[in-house]
Every structure is written in structure tokens, then in C-alpha cells.
Amino acid sequence: MNFIRNKSYKDLKLIPIFLFFLVVSTSCWKTDPQDNLFTFKGEMLGQYLASEERADDYSEFAGILQETDVMGLLNTYGEYTCFAPTNEALYRFYEKEGLAGYHEMSEDSLYKLVYNHIIKDYTIESKDFGIGRLSALNMANRYISTNPTIDSIGFPVIYINDYSLVLNRDIDVHNGVIHSVDRVIIPTDSTLVERLSVDKNFSLFFEALLKTNLHSKLNLIEDYSYDPNDDPELAPIKEINILQEIPQFRKYGYTALIESDSTYIANGINDINDLYAKAKEWYPEATDEDFESENNALNQFISYHLINKQLGYTKFILDYDTEHMFKNAGPQYDMYEYIEPMLKNSLIEVKIDRKLSEGNLFNAIPTVQGENGSYTKVIRIVDDNYDNDALNGVYHEIDGILLYDRDVVSTIRSKRLRLDAASFFPEITNNNMRGSGVAQIFILPRGYLENVSYSENTKLRYLSQNLRLEDFQGDEFIFGNNNKSDVLYDLTLNILPIPAGTYEIRLGYQPLVRRGVAQMYWDGKPTGIPVDFTINADDPSIGHQVPGRNSDDPYGYENDKMMRNRGFMKGPMSYHAPDKDWYPAPNARESVRSLRKIVGKYTFDKTERHTLRLKAVELGEFMIDYIEIVPIEVLEKEGVY
């Protein structure tokens, strides 16, 4: 099957694709041997591959590059990373496919082969290879996985997609870098369900997936009706020197967190009947015997393992632990992400424990509430079985039984939830905008995001991680007129499910003169008088005082109380703008341009989604960084982080 329906691989070369990379250090490369490092500063990437002196190594790949006209691209200025297959690699590929040579391949197949081996716009050296997916997509809009390891004689080696060995790495050319490989890189064309169907490690989970018919919810690949050119009104922000793009695709994606058959056996589960019996114990209120029902215990158990976001290993939380975050040891600096799985009205908590220097801790329940480093329950991804790639998703093996039980609900319910706005929208993750580590503005067409609705003239932009922004995780959303001066925005956000209880709700934002004034509504009801989002925190109506500047209130606690009485809070002390060009404060708490607006206190009788509406009453734009959900019993011990 073609990777992109109705678009050939030849056509893809004309489409700007978002390509990013994450620098992930791997200690085994600190002592790499230097005899396979080369520098050829004078040549372009295409010239290097096509040179006669290297014909014995790359003439076949150079011929394909010429045949597809991609050679011209690789001889232009820019940045490229090329995993160049050797002649032997291509001969091996021809033999496997029953071909005499690349001249027997279709044009679309040739473009597909070439694009699978090239990452455009970034130079990624071997020191940047971690274990698992690179955050950069190749020109075929697919992930490439790297696996630096040690061979049987103790020599460091790198595998690409687990099977293609890097022969020579870091060949430095004028417009990028080349890594030669001994196998043609062929990303799977199998969907997530198809991959799981042949993975014998997870046969019982897959049987349950079929029995509940939940596999039918994992089949979407791309919204083929999406056209980035449909809205002629979309336009970049004037006088902003940041890359601005309209997404060229609207892809779907899925993630499965799965217990292996051996894990089930270790827990006394040997077949589907055992699993169903256990599911009834774990989800006793799910009493429907119809396996396809949302109120069936097995259905609930399996659906809690499925997520409608494509989350590689680093995309659960690690990629969001940016330079903005202070990472000192201590419980106040621990970081959390909340993910909504397919089980209705549930959450998965993902944690970075600073004391352990460990991330991707799922539903971690401390031995003593509030104490880190020791857990009565915690789920981890198995070290040697994650980032299993599929056309429309990825799956990971987990080391224990993943449940949404009373212990998990109680743990989530007992702490402040700080929800980054990007966590509300699967599309931001599935189309590789969030956690890229690259500062960029994405201009999002109407209907691109499902969990928000807004008036016809309202424009939406997502600003990805930017070192100059004083944002939690470094990203933000802006709704507004986008170059128009006569449009009032009106938008409604769908918030992640919140457990039953009584909470204080807050909105995290940055006041600026262009923000405007808006009336807020929680679950459709007004929250008070309109809020002026243009006013800095040190305005007398808010009263922010920088902690430490008043000798009578050295920590700012009395000032905090005064601000709360006026409906505001300082920003948290746990993050800052690493680049002080725009926001010079040492942290958000000391900044007059970071605020939390207290929306109100609410009691929820059941766990469900909620809505926050903002309707402009004066011209301007609305900016959202995060939302905080704080149990009232936590308020007194919450701290300033």
C-alpha cells in the first residue's frame, strides 16, 4: 500500500514537511574510535555520493538519486542527513525483491526508497543518536529509529531500524552529513493492528483486542480530505522572525502499552478466560457481558492500554522536559504529564522522578504519599522492547499490569494537575509539532483540532518549544485575529477528564498588551467579570511584588495571599525562559509577565470532561499556556512550584 494515498512519493518532494531532531546523548559514544570519521567540507552531499572515486560504494544510490532528480536537491545549500545504502546493500535489496536493478522499479517506488534515507533541514550526527526514534522525520514523513549498542567483541555499533548497520558514520559534507548503511531502510507498511497480529510476544493481548473489537478503532492513517490550502485567509504573523508553516498533513496515530504473554502468566493469567475473569475483578462496576460494550470489564481493561496519540518512547514526557524546567532534586520539581487513553473518563499519569533521574513512570504510587524514589506500584516500559514502529502508530511492552483502579484515581486526585494545553490535542502530537525542540509557529486551519471550537473569524496558532518563551514546557497556543484588527474571538476548549471532587481551577497565561479582554465560562456558566489579559502582574489591580524585594515579606507569601484575594497567582517557580531576550526574570514566579488566573472553585460529582469558554469583549488575542486543576485540600501545602 502507498504510504500517502492520492499523493505519490514524487509529489512529496514539493511539500514542505516538518523535520526536527532531538539531541539525546548516549554514554557509550563518549569513547568512540576515530578511525571511521571523515571530513569533506568542500563537497555537497550529492557530489560526494556521485564522485567517480566512490563509485564502488555509492554508484547505485547515486544512479537512483539521478533518476529521481533528488540529486539536484542534495547539491543545493541547506542541511541534510543521508543514510546512504552501499552498492552491496542495494544489490541485496534487488535480489530480495526479484529485480535486476533499480531500472525495473516504478517511479513511485524509487522516490519512496530515496525519501526513506534522507532527513531534510537538519544535520544529525551519530552523537545525537539515542535508543529509539529520532524526533526528525525522513522525507517520506516516517520515523527513523537508531540503536547504538555494543557488539559481541565490545565494539560500539549503530543499527538503523534495528537491522541496518552503520558502516561509516559522520561523513561531513558542506550541506550535511552522511552515514553509510549496509541494508536498505524500509519502514514497515503494516498498521499497528497488523504489526500486533504477528508479534507472538503479545498473542493474548491481541486476542482480547479482537474479542472487544477495539482493533477497529486503530485503523485510521491520515485525514485524506485535509487540504492545507483550503483557507485563503490563513497568513503568517507580520514582523515575526520565526519559521511559520501551515501543516501539510493531518495524520492520525495510536499507541499501545502492552503486557507480554509472559507477564500475564506470571500473574496467573494463561488464557483469555483467565484475563476476562481478572478484568472483572479489576473493573467490578463493568457488568455488561457484551465484549464490545464500553461497560464490559475486558473492554475497559484493553481500552485503558490504547491511546489515540502516536507516542514514541520520548513523546510520553521526556521531550517536554525542556530547558525551561528547573531539574534540581526534590519533590517540588518532579514533572507530570496526563494522557487520556481510550477508556472513557480516565487518565494515565506519566512522571519524571528527579530523585531517581528516571522518566516514563506510569501511574506511580509512592510508598509514602508525597515521597519520591520508592513506590508501592509503578509501571515502566521494558528496556529492550519499545518503539515498535507501525505505519500509524507504535507499541511498547510494559513490565506490569496497567490498571485504572481506585489507587490510581486516589493518587491523581490527591495532587495538583498542571495540564499543558498541547496535551488536549492528539493532532499536535500525531503531526510531530509538540516536543520537537525546534522553535516554530504552526498556523492551524479550522477543524484541524477536534477538542476546541471557535468562531469563524478566530485564527489559531501553536508555538512550539521556544527558548525565549516563559512558558511551561516552552510552548503555547494563541487564538486571535491574526493580522485583522476588527475580529473578536470566541472559543471553547474541551479539558481532559477530571476525577470527581472539589477543585480550584486556574488558567496559566502571559499578559501582553495585545491580549485583549474576555469573559470566561466554565461548563457554560460565567466565572465572574471579564478578565483583562493585557495587564502585567505588577499592575496595582493585581499587585505582584517580586519575592525578596520586600524585607517584611522576604518570600512573598503575604503578597501571594493579597494576589489570591484579587483572583490571581504568580507563575510557578519551576520554570523560566532559558533565553532571556524576551523574558528576563530568573523564573516565572518572579516575572511580572507570567500569571495564573483563578477561574473558580467547583465540585464535580463524577469523573468527566469539562469546558472552558473565552469570549472576547474587546479586540485582541487569547493566549493559553496551561490549566491547573487543584484539589482544595492541596491548596495549603501546594508550594510555589
Side-chain angles (χ1 to χ4, degrees):
M1 97 180 45
N2 280 346
F3 174 62
I4 308 278
R5 293 179 194 168
N6 304 322
K7 296 186 180 84
S8 71
Y9 277 85
K10 179 182 179 180
D11 295 331
L12 283 178
K13 71 178 181 178
L14 304 176
I15 299 175
I17 302 172
F18 307 126
L19 300 159
F20 312 108
F21 71 91
L22 170 72
V23 176
V24 182
S25 297
T26 305
S27 60
C28 67
W29 292 103
K30 293 180 181 178
T31 57
D32 285 348
Q34 298 297 312
D35 56 349
N36 62 342
L37 301 179
F38 302 90
T39 300
F40 294 91
K41 281 291 188 183
E43 295 175 285
M44 292 292 192
L45 198 155
Q47 292 173 329
Y48 177 87
L49 295 174
S51 66
E52 290 187 10
E53 63 187 281
R54 301 177 191 98
D56 290 344
D57 293 322
Y58 303 114
S59 60
E60 286 294 309
F61 191 54
I64 297 173
L65 292 172
Q66 293 283 8
E67 188 76 15
T68 56
D69 297 326
V70 178
M71 181 66 80
L73 179 69
L74 299 184
N75 283 326
T76 61
Y77 287 100
E79 293 186 62
Y80 303 91
T81 299
C82 180
F83 296 92
T86 63
N87 290 346
E88 290 299 321
L90 283 161
Y91 296 151
R92 190 180 292 114
F93 171 77
Y94 302 150
E95 182 178 1
K96 180 181 177 182
E97 297 297 319
L99 301 169
Y102 66 82
H103 296 292
E104 295 186 0
M105 297 172 64
S106 68
E107 182 181 55
D108 195 57
S109 295
L110 288 173
Y111 275 101
K112 180 178 180 179
L113 187 151
V114 168
Y115 287 172
N116 280 336
H117 293 79
I118 300 172
I119 294 173
K120 182 176 178 289
D121 292 337
Y122 293 98
T123 298
I124 308 177
E125 299 177 351
S126 63
K127 66 181 177 63
D128 303 328
F129 294 164
I131 299 175
R133 287 174 163 186
L134 297 173
S135 289
L137 302 178
N138 63 24
M139 289 186 66
N141 210 28
R142 295 295 301 274
Y143 287 99
I144 288 177
S145 292
T146 60
N147 184 13
T149 186
I150 304 296
D151 67 13
S152 58
I153 60 174
F155 192 80
V157 294
I158 304 172
Y159 284 95
I160 306 300
N161 287 10
D162 290 331
Y163 59 82
S164 185
L165 176 67
V166 175
L167 300 174
N168 289 315
R169 58 184 174 83
D170 299 327
I171 303 171
D172 195 5
V173 292
H174 190 69
N175 58 345
V177 65
I178 299 169
H179 310 284
S180 68
V181 293
D182 75 338
R183 296 285 194 282
V184 171
I185 297 173
I186 310 174
T188 179
D189 280 334
S190 298
T191 65
L192 180 59
V193 173
E194 291 168 342
R195 282 294 312 275
L196 289 173
S197 70
V198 296
D199 194 328
K200 301 306 181 184
N201 292 311
F202 307 108
S203 60
L204 184 50
F205 182 91
F206 185 71
E207 183 180 356
L209 186 70
L210 296 180
K211 198 172 189 69
T212 56
N213 198 37
L214 288 167
H215 69 288
S216 65
K217 295 185 177 182
L218 307 175
N219 291 325
L220 294 176
I221 299 172
E222 183 179 348
D223 178 1
Y224 300 110
S225 67
Y226 170 71
D227 186 344
N229 302 311
D230 271 351
D231 188 351
E233 294 293 323
L234 293 182
I237 308 170
K238 295 178 180 178
E239 300 177 356
I240 293 289
N241 188 26
I242 302 175
L243 178 62
Q244 302 180 58
E245 296 284 351
I246 298 172
Q248 296 299 307
F249 302 95
R250 188 172 182 269
K251 291 184 171 296
Y252 300 99
Y254 307 98
T255 300
L257 295 167
I258 314 177
E259 303 91 354
S260 67
D261 290 350
S262 59
T263 296
Y264 284 138
I265 291 171
N267 284 272
I269 301 169
N270 298 291
D271 57 30
I272 193 67
N273 294 325
D274 290 344
L275 183 57
Y276 185 31
K278 283 288 188 181
K280 288 181 176 180
E281 295 177 15
W282 296 325
Y283 297 94
E285 296 180 3
T287 57
D288 197 328
E289 293 296 325
D290 181 358
F291 290 110
E292 297 187 23
S293 168
E294 291 183 350
N295 195 38
N296 174 268
L298 186 63
N299 190 292
Q300 291 193 4
F301 174 74
I302 296 298
S303 61
Y304 190 60
H305 292 65
L306 306 174
I307 304 164
N308 67 341
K309 297 179 183 179
Q310 187 166 174
L311 300 171
Y313 186 86
T314 63
K315 292 296 182 188
F316 286 99
I317 190 170
L318 300 176
D319 282 352
Y320 320 137
D321 190 19
T322 62
E323 293 182 47
H324 300 76
M325 313 304 296
F326 292 113
K327 304 176 185 182
N328 304 43
Q332 64 269 38
Y333 288 102
D334 287 342
M335 184 174 167
Y336 297 86
E337 173 78 2
Y338 294 91
I339 298 170
E340 183 180 17
M342 290 188 180
L343 175 60
K344 188 176 181 180
N345 293 328
S346 69
L347 291 173
I348 297 174
E349 181 186 89
V350 191
K351 179 179 182 178
I352 294 177
D353 187 321
R354 302 297 188 197
K355 184 176 181 180
L356 294 178
S357 298
E358 183 179 6
N360 284 356
L361 301 176
F362 296 90
N363 292 350
I365 300 175
T367 303
V368 177
Q369 189 61 46
E371 179 180 309
N372 297 314
S374 175
Y375 299 97
T376 58
K377 296 180 183 178
V378 63
I379 300 295
R380 293 176 169 90
I381 294 175
V382 174
D383 286 342
D384 59 356
N385 197 10
Y386 61 88
D387 277 355
N388 294 288
D389 190 47
L391 176 63
N392 63 342
V394 62
Y395 64 97
H396 316 271
E397 181 183 350
I398 52 177
D399 66 355
I401 305 297
L402 181 66
L403 299 173
Y404 192 62
D405 57 17
R406 291 183 179 180
D407 290 341
V408 173
V409 174
S410 177
T411 299
I412 292 175
R413 169 68 183 77
S414 67
K415 66 184 66 172
R416 175 193 61 213
L417 309 185
R418 182 174 292 152
L419 308 174
D420 188 85
S423 68
F424 304 161
F425 308 113
E427 299 86 357
I428 297 297
T429 301
N430 289 333
N431 293 277
N432 206 37
M433 301 180 210
R434 187 185 183 198
S436 68
V438 176
Q440 187 163 0
I441 296 175
F442 295 93
I443 304 168
L444 302 176
R446 178 166 305 282
Y448 195 90
L449 304 182
E450 290 187 356
N451 285 329
V452 63
S453 58
Y454 46 96
S455 55
E456 183 175 353
N457 291 324
T458 303
K459 303 301 179 183
L460 171 58
R461 302 187 296 276
Y462 172 62
L463 282 65
S464 62
Q465 295 162 339
N466 190 321
L467 296 179
R468 291 181 291 181
L469 292 177
E470 196 172 68
D471 285 331
F472 176 58
Q473 300 183 8
D475 62 347
E476 64 184 50
F477 284 88
I478 294 177
F479 296 82
N481 51 40
N482 194 20
N483 295 340
K484 288 191 174 183
S485 59
D486 58 350
V487 176
L488 295 174
Y489 63 78
D490 187 355
L491 65 111
T492 301
L493 294 164
N494 293 320
I495 312 302
L496 297 180
I498 302 171
T502 301
Y503 299 88
E504 181 174 275
I505 310 297
R506 306 170 190 152
L507 170 68
Y509 72 100
Q510 296 172 349
L512 283 177
V513 67
R514 62 175 178 267
R515 296 294 191 226
V517 180
Q519 175 65 56
M520 293 196 296
Y521 303 80
W522 184 264
D523 286 340
K525 297 180 180 180
T527 64
I529 65 173
V531 180
D532 189 342
F533 291 104
T534 70
I535 299 175
N536 275 1
D538 59 352
D539 186 271
S541 64
I542 297 176
H544 178 289
Q545 294 178 0
V546 177
R549 294 188 181 177
N550 183 347
S551 59
D552 294 330
D553 184 21
Y555 301 104
Y557 297 152
E558 293 302 316
N559 183 239
D560 292 341
K561 294 177 183 178
M562 183 275 293
M563 289 181 62
R564 283 186 60 85
N565 290 336
R566 296 177 177 181
F568 291 91
M569 294 179 63
K570 301 179 179 71
M573 196 173 177
S574 54
Y575 64 85
H576 70 134
D579 184 334
K580 303 301 182 184
D581 186 27
W582 294 347
Y583 296 87
N587 57 67
R589 176 169 168 78
E590 298 186 37
S591 174
V592 299
R593 295 173 61 189
S594 283
L595 274 171
R596 288 177 277 184
K597 172 60 183 171
I598 300 173
V599 178
K601 291 183 180 179
Y602 300 91
T603 298
F604 308 132
D605 296 330
K606 57 183 179 179
T607 301
E608 61 183 353
R609 280 176 162 268
H610 298 271
T611 61
L612 176 64
R613 180 187 178 193
L614 291 109
K615 184 177 182 180
V617 296
E618 290 186 11
L619 291 175
E621 65 185 20
F622 170 68
M623 172 268 181
I624 180 172
D625 184 4
Y626 58 89
I627 287 178
E628 289 183 341
I629 315 294
V630 190
I632 56 169
E633 60 269 24
V634 173
L635 293 178
E636 292 299 321
K637 57 183 179 181
E638 178 183 6
V640 296
Y641 298 96

